[in-house]
Amino acid sequence: NIHDDDDSYISTASTNMDDEDDDSDFDLDDIDEVKVEDDIEAKAARKAAKKEKKKKAANSIRQEMLDLKAELGDLDDTNRTPNLNEAMAEFYSRTSEYWIQQLIDTKQLAATTATIEPLSRKEMKREAFAFAQERYEELRPVLERLNELESRQREAEEGS
């Protein structure tokens, strides 16, 4: 009977369970550290991308505002430009003398080429109002867009 007893079998292979555990723990720690570093780098990259996106959006808003202002040219002339959110009646009330003067200048130029009857004060106001209303209607869509862009820009700056 050659070694029927299982207890008599002795393994000659060297197995040190503690060494294997240390190696695998070390590898897991390394993997965990790499994951943490990757998470930090990914978070920083996302943050930088978000910041860049906000910056591009702000530059886009600013550029569109500049383009709109350049398109109309004389938005800085307070007599010819309604204030943001200013009603037509308020615009005319604030600038009526300017529009009356514009009407007088136009009539004087026309009077040099033809005979024109002088207008009453009421007729002058009516025609001056028509000039102001024409300008107001011309600028209203642009001013509404500028107002919207300024609001978006403020929101973007407050969100930063």
Side-chain angles (χ1 to χ4, degrees):
N1 285 336
I2 302 179
H3 302 289
D4 287 338
D5 186 24
D6 286 336
D7 292 336
S8 64
Y9 176 69
I10 299 174
S11 172
T12 58
S14 169
T15 57
N16 186 345
M17 297 298 278
D18 291 341
D19 287 343
E20 286 180 20
D21 287 344
D22 288 346
D23 288 344
S24 60
D25 285 345
F26 182 72
D27 291 340
L28 289 176
D29 289 343
D30 287 346
I31 292 170
D32 288 343
E33 286 177 22
V34 169
K35 285 182 180 178
V36 168
E37 289 173 7
D38 287 347
D39 289 345
I40 292 171
E41 289 174 5
K43 187 175 182 179
R46 285 191 305 271
K47 187 175 181 178
K50 187 176 180 180
K51 187 175 183 179
E52 185 64 26
K53 185 177 177 182
K54 280 185 179 182
K55 184 177 178 181
K56 284 182 180 180
N59 286 340
S60 173
I61 290 171
R62 269 190 228 104
Q63 187 59 48
E64 186 176 349
M65 289 171 69
L66 290 173
D67 291 346
L68 287 171
K69 288 178 180 180
E71 180 182 317
L72 294 167
D74 59 354
L75 290 179
D76 293 333
D77 183 352
T78 58
N79 285 322
R80 293 184 40 81
T81 307
N83 295 324
L84 292 177
N85 300 320
E86 185 175 40
M88 176 58 212
E90 294 168 338
F91 172 58
Y92 179 71
S93 176
R94 178 175 60 82
T95 62
S96 61
E97 293 304 315
Y98 170 81
W99 295 109
I100 290 171
Q101 187 59 49
Q102 291 298 111
L103 178 65
I104 292 169
D105 294 346
T106 303
K107 294 293 181 185
Q108 285 176 350
L109 181 62
T112 60
T113 59
T115 309
I116 298 178
E117 287 186 35
L119 299 174
S120 70
R121 183 77 177 153
K122 185 175 183 176
E123 291 170 325
M124 287 178 66
K125 285 184 177 183
R126 186 176 299 126
E127 287 191 32
F129 183 83
F131 280 2
Q133 189 170 28
E134 181 180 328
R135 178 67 176 172
Y136 184 86
E137 293 302 321
E138 173 188 5
L139 294 179
R140 185 169 49 171
V142 174
L143 291 173
E144 287 172 355
R145 181 66 180 151
L146 282 172
N147 193 25
E148 177 185 327
L149 290 171
E150 287 178 0
S151 295
R152 286 179 42 199
Q153 186 175 15
R154 274 192 305 273
E155 288 172 6
E157 289 171 356
E158 290 171 0
S160 297

